[in-house]
Amino acid sequence: MTTGSRQDREPAAQQPPQPPQPQRFVISFAGFNRPWAVWIAHRLEEHGHRVALQRWDPQNSPGIDQALDDLARSGSRVLLVLSERYFSAGTHTDEQWNTALRAVTDRHPDRFAAVCLTDAPLPSAVAVLEKTDLWGLDAYEAEYRVLRRLELPTDRIGTDSGRRGPRFPNDPPEIWGRVPRRNPRFTGRNDVIGTLRQALVEAPPGASTVTLLGLSGVGKTQVATEYAYRFASEYDVVWWVPAEDRPTLRERLADLAPALGLPRGAGSYGEQIRAVLGALRRGNPYGRWLMVFDGCDNPDDLIDLLPSGAGDVIITSRNREWAARHTSLVEVPLYARPESITFIRRRALRLTADEADQLAEALEDYPLALDQTAGWLADSPLPVGDYLVLLQHRMDSREAVAVSEDYPLPFPTALAILLNNVRENFPDALALLRLFVFFAPGPVPLRLLREFPADDVPEQLAGLINDQIRWNAALNKLVQFSVVRLEYSDLAVEEGGGGLETVQLHRMVHGIVRENLSEEEAEPLARAVRQVLAAADPGRPSDSRLWPRYAELIPHLATSGVLTSSNPRIQNFLLHCLRYLILAGEYRTCLRLSEETDLIWRALLGEDHPKVRELSYQYGGALRNLGLFRRAETLTRARAAQLTRERGDRDLETLRATSSYGGVLLCIARFEPAREIFEHCLATYRELLGEDDSTTLAAQNNLAATYRLLGRYQDAYDLDLDTLRRRERVLRTHHISTLSSGIACAMGLRLMGRYHEAQTRQEQGVKINTQVLGLEHPQTLRAEHNLGMCLRRSGDIPGAGLRLRTVWERATRVFGVDYPWTLMVASDYATYLREYGDIGEARRISEDVVRGYQSQLGLAHPYSIGTVGNLGLVLRAQGERAAALSLAEQALVGMRGALGDRHPWTLGCALNATGHRNITGRLEDALDLSRETLRTAEQVLGPDHPMSLSAQIALAADLRSVREHEEAAKHEDAGIKGLTRTLGPQHVHTVSAKQQTRPYWDFEPQP
């Protein structure tokens, strides 16, 4: 058809355009074609017309005659957006459509018009609508044809009122990242998609997160994919993130960085992810974005990586726990029967509506089962009746029904028939599928299989793996029968992408194939996959640059039988993986795998086997880091005692076991026994290994931590600084242990009152830890927490509050409220709130911390005692003086009993108790305790330590209360001069002292 050039259509200069007369339109469209309907509506509105959108859904109306008549009764002109999907939305025949179209246009002449988005054959009566074709056009041409068809002026094509509208449907978003191919057979789900859209639109700013919830195979991913295509014109960025496991999730999220124009960073996922989340939050360079996290069944894997900002987030999951994670839930149910029938007939064109109904009844409208069985029937001459008889026979089979109660009965039955077809007709595809099921359900990393060690290839797979043509043919056959799905890299070929990346294997497929393998068939395949995984072991779990490679291997350990293997090479590989999990902060995963492996290896190898001992170190580390201290003590004490009896206390293995036990003793506040252990270990390591050996430096680090907990801050700092310098030389500056020593030095400086030096060192430490380890690594959070405390002590109150709250919220999301480290941060944030924020929130958090520590550590632990003292300060601030005094006295007595009179924590509790006594009228008691506290603080910490200077100011206050003004002035003057000298005249402590504000002490639990 010739339409003329654009220049031909420009109005003559001597004919000024006439303003159009506003008209009303209803645009009727199939959900599949929503982008076109929205764009046409926007363009008509830009020309001054009023437009209503009406999704075409004859399944929910009495029939197409009535549905079309209802459109006409609106009183507006009706524009139909036609495509194959418009006519296949229900189960109506072409003849039914022809009859309905002729009747409605006879009753309502000139009311209906149409545009067409396809060149496929349509019902013949479409001719009465005088449709105009839009497919394959650019925006200018499409708008011109719409206006011409509606007999509207064309002199203002492209007019723009400044109101931002949708993108032209043929123009993709600026960034379109690995969204699955649109399913041409997608059926129904309009209510689900409508609810999803409404939930996203109505969410508060920055909280547009919706979780699509449903059983496996119900179509959650398909709904998310369809939404992405239907609403693509509303977004500038659409990015798809496979989220079944955290390593893949992090990798895919980091891949968005270069697409957004952000630097990839120095090989650090953490830096890239932080940059991506920051860009999305700011809306720069794109403010309209959609992120889809597909298949996240563990909220803890994702919650700390969820972006915020002006965009939208969709999560697909089977886990209803997302309801408690500040997302809206949208249920994805089984198909309604009309949807099942429509879908089956699209999948298997030869089936009638009655046959489709029979099949849907047998499969209980389960979408994945419908897809696979209808696909099988599409390529099979087997009559539907015979198939249903066979299906019923399989349902009666004990093998067919012995599946998890989470899965509907018909699907495994239908899948068994499907797989039987593969087994009988495509042996290569079956062999490949059987190999895949010894990886974990979900993505199978084909890179590992491509690197299959030649000597480890099972005989029955040798020809297949070594023949690329056979391999590809087998893969394609599995895809054809919907058994697997292929995923390709979005990266350019020169960046290592452009090819096949993973095979997506559904969990149900995985389970059923595994169940149907005999032990003789399974063992060589499992052994081969174990060898593949072990060959991929990077070998250096302490190197954070290799952590992404370890993260790729972890999901497949249990499935492939690594935990039960008797092969020493495989066992060493497992120990490397467990060590990686500890260092990467994945403590829960490490604990789960360690518990399972410990039971297996004790039975397999014996309790005294070297590998069982090695396992116990990772097992104990996981227990300790998760706050399971009693179990950790039992495990490590027994191992240390056994080795000491057998080998003596100078054996390297004994020293390692004893050090592990000492670490647990620190957690349960047995500081002196831990000191004795670590001093012995350090001296012996120095003699046996030398001062610069990494093991010696680890022992020196442990002793420094012990000194710090004993209040020997200068001794601890001297050791930490020496350890840091040696580690920088031996391990290099970016090693995780070197970075840990940097944090310890900054903490030591802060505890000694050298706040500015501490802040300077820790600011740099936060940057490097974030870059190397990632934003959510426990050590990075520890560095950020210490920086928050440095900022507070340096007088940057707003900066401290923001930092502490951010770290507390992230720790709560990532680790949970009762995680030991979370309790520590919560305690420090509560003390900040008491002084500078919401006193009510400070009390709530303080009470939670006290309960958490008392439950986890017991009433007599210094952390339980110290946080009770902190709670007393909150009560005093709220005016509950008697209750506050009671808690302060409890804390003082408890800390004296736990640590003695000279520990800094005891002195801090005493300092607080003097204030409580003073305001409750116990002036002489307060004065006596103040004198004792100052004297001891100067002896233990030195006269210029902030604690000693605070004790000077507190003593001055108590002296004034008993009218000893001359002595009070002397102490006050000495305290102010000391604070001015050490902290500066404008520091908050110095200013408070000058204003005669009584000082207090905050107990700070230490990591």
Side-chain angles (χ1 to χ4, degrees), residues 614-806:
E614 181 67 29
L615 172 65
S616 71
Y617 300 131
Q618 315 311 326
Y619 190 2
L623 291 169
R624 185 179 69 250
N625 281 290
L626 289 170
L628 302 171
F629 301 129
R630 297 304 174 191
R631 290 176 59 190
E633 181 190 13
T634 300
L635 176 67
T636 57
R637 183 180 63 235
R639 183 64 67 190
Q642 176 192 12
L643 288 170
T644 302
R645 287 193 307 270
E646 295 176 357
R647 302 188 180 193
D649 63 358
R650 292 177 55 81
D651 178 79
L652 290 178
E653 193 68 28
T654 303
L655 292 171
R656 184 181 182 190
T658 305
S659 294
S660 180
Y661 176 47
V664 179
L665 292 178
L666 289 182
C667 295
I668 60 177
R670 297 182 60 190
F671 299 148
E672 281 297 334
R675 178 191 60 78
E676 294 174 2
I677 286 174
F678 289 132
E679 286 180 342
H680 167 73
C681 288
L682 178 57
T684 310
Y685 277 134
R686 282 174 173 171
E687 181 181 343
L688 297 177
L689 302 177
E691 293 189 343
D692 283 346
D693 187 86
S694 60
T695 304
T696 304
L697 295 178
Q700 187 163 297
N701 174 82
N702 292 338
L703 182 57
T706 307
Y707 285 166
R708 194 161 53 244
L709 288 166
L710 285 168
R712 296 169 56 178
Y713 299 141
Q714 185 66 56
D715 293 339
Y717 176 71
D718 292 342
L719 275 181
D720 278 326
L721 186 60
D722 182 70
T723 304
L724 173 63
R725 289 170 176 167
R726 292 177 187 275
R727 279 177 166 173
E728 286 177 338
R729 185 173 66 251
V730 175
L731 301 177
R732 301 294 182 262
T733 56
H734 285 188
H735 191 279
I736 185 173
S737 297
T738 307
L739 297 176
S740 178
S741 288
I743 299 172
C745 285
M747 185 182 303
L749 289 168
R750 174 171 62 81
L751 293 173
M752 290 188 298
R754 295 161 62 178
Y755 299 142
H756 180 71
E757 294 175 72
Q759 179 180 335
T760 300
R761 178 179 286 278
Q762 194 58 81
E763 284 175 339
Q764 181 65 18
V766 166
K767 293 178 183 177
I768 299 175
N769 276 274
T770 303
Q771 178 185 3
V772 174
L773 304 176
L775 195 62
E776 308 303 344
H777 190 281
Q779 186 163 296
T780 303
L781 291 171
R782 178 181 161 211
E784 284 200 62
H785 165 257
N786 191 47
L787 177 57
M789 299 303 292
C790 292
L791 291 170
R792 183 179 176 190
R793 298 307 173 206
S794 298
D796 183 356
I797 304 306
L802 179 61
R803 182 75 64 170
L804 289 173
R805 182 173 190 92
T806 299

Side-chain angles (χ1 to χ4, degrees), residues 585-604:
E586 301 289 347
Y587 305 130
R588 292 186 180 89
T589 302
C590 183
L591 177 60
R592 174 176 55 80
L593 292 174
S594 296
E595 288 174 332
E596 295 178 30
T597 306
D598 186 64
L599 291 173
I600 295 167
W601 282 10
R602 285 178 185 271
L604 182 67

